[in-house]
Amino acid sequence: VDHEHCSKERSASLDLLLRFQRLLVSKLYPGDCVGQVPNTYSPDLLGVGSLLKKYTTLLCTHIGDILPVATSIASASHRHFAEVSRVVDGDLTGILLPELVVSVVLLLSKNAGLMQEAGAIPLLAGLLEHLDRFNHLAPGKERDDNEDLAWPGIMGSFFTGQSCRNNEEVTLIRKADLENHNKDGGFWTVIDGKVYDIKDFQTQSLTGGSIL
């Protein structure tokens, strides 16, 4: 009974935090600022931004403490990883963090200046290393990575049951071919000896083509 009571109480607490998080995001979302001079923000709006930063700091501190422990336990076996993932999925990491990241990205696309003033993005970026270490323990991770990043021609042979390691199936691209393709408006890049077409990603990227 005590265990069930604690579980329900925790769920209520998470629900309250999620509501508070959504309230912060809604206050920062542009819509009530029609006619405001660009790059100038009201004290109330800056106050909400400061509150978002404090909230993100506390959340990231908690997750930063949890993930190394979770990674240590999950590294024991696939079974341990599955159990730890289930626990993490029901904690702040699995409930609050994904929605916060999406919300921050949305706010960044709508009002980059305000989000820079709020300073929440570097705090979230600090979790990437912890999340990466944990995700690298996932069963089938290497297979999924290969499927996501493989050359389309190689993927075609994979789905037809042929070996993707067959050299005859690999399209060889010379450096001159890549340079000519990019001069014509394409966007190929080389990572670890493989050529990737990131033209579509360029149009979706918030950073622009220079960083890519």
Side-chain angles (χ1 to χ4, degrees):
V1 177
D2 291 339
H3 175 73
E4 293 179 357
H5 175 73
C6 291
S7 179
K8 290 180 180 179
E9 184 178 358
R10 191 180 102 176
S11 298
S13 300
L14 281 175
D15 183 64
L16 183 62
L17 285 173
L18 186 58
R19 289 171 181 267
F20 176 72
Q21 177 175 295
R22 290 173 176 174
L23 179 62
L24 287 176
V25 172
S26 68
K27 292 295 184 181
L28 290 171
Y29 193 82
D32 297 328
C33 304
V34 178
Q36 182 171 313
V37 179
N39 299 323
T40 61
Y41 310 106
S42 67
D44 290 344
L45 202 58
L46 291 175
V48 177
S50 177
L51 191 57
L52 176 65
K53 181 177 181 179
K54 292 179 181 178
Y55 169 82
T56 306
T57 299
L58 293 173
L59 181 63
C60 290
T61 299
H62 171 81
I63 296 175
D65 291 339
I66 291 295
L67 281 179
V69 178
T71 301
S72 177
I73 298 174
S75 63
S77 67
H78 291 339
R79 180 181 176 184
H80 284 78
F81 179 84
E83 288 298 318
V84 170
S85 296
R86 183 181 59 81
V87 173
V88 169
D89 190 50
D91 188 57
L92 304 182
T93 308
I95 295 178
L96 300 180
L97 182 61
E99 186 170 315
L100 179 62
V101 171
V102 172
S103 299
V104 167
V105 171
L106 177 62
L107 290 171
L108 181 64
S109 68
K110 294 294 183 180
N111 199 332
L114 178 59
M115 291 310 297
Q116 290 178 355
E117 289 283 344
I121 298 175
L123 298 171
L124 291 170
L127 293 177
L128 290 177
E129 185 176 350
H130 293 303
L131 290 168
D132 194 49
R133 287 177 180 173
F134 183 79
N135 289 332
H136 268 69
L137 299 175
K141 185 269 306 179
E142 293 182 358
R143 180 196 64 205
D144 292 340
D145 284 352
N146 290 335
E147 291 181 4
D148 289 340
L149 299 176
W151 183 259
I154 299 176
M155 283 305 299
S157 66
F158 175 82
F159 285 118
T160 56
Q162 302 174 12
S163 173
C164 65
R165 295 185 179 181
N166 188 341
N167 290 332
E168 295 179 357
E169 298 292 335
V170 178
T171 302
L172 298 179
I173 298 178
R174 300 173 304 167
K175 182 178 180 181
D177 295 333
L178 183 143
E179 292 175 349
N180 289 333
H181 176 82
N182 289 349
K183 287 179 181 178
D184 293 335
F187 206 155
W188 287 355
T189 187
V190 179
I191 303 174
D192 293 335
K194 295 181 181 179
V195 180
Y196 300 97
D197 188 350
I198 58 174
K199 180 68 176 180
D200 291 339
F201 181 78
Q202 180 191 17
T203 61
Q204 302 172 11
S205 173
L206 299 176
T207 61
S210 59
I211 295 180
L212 290 177

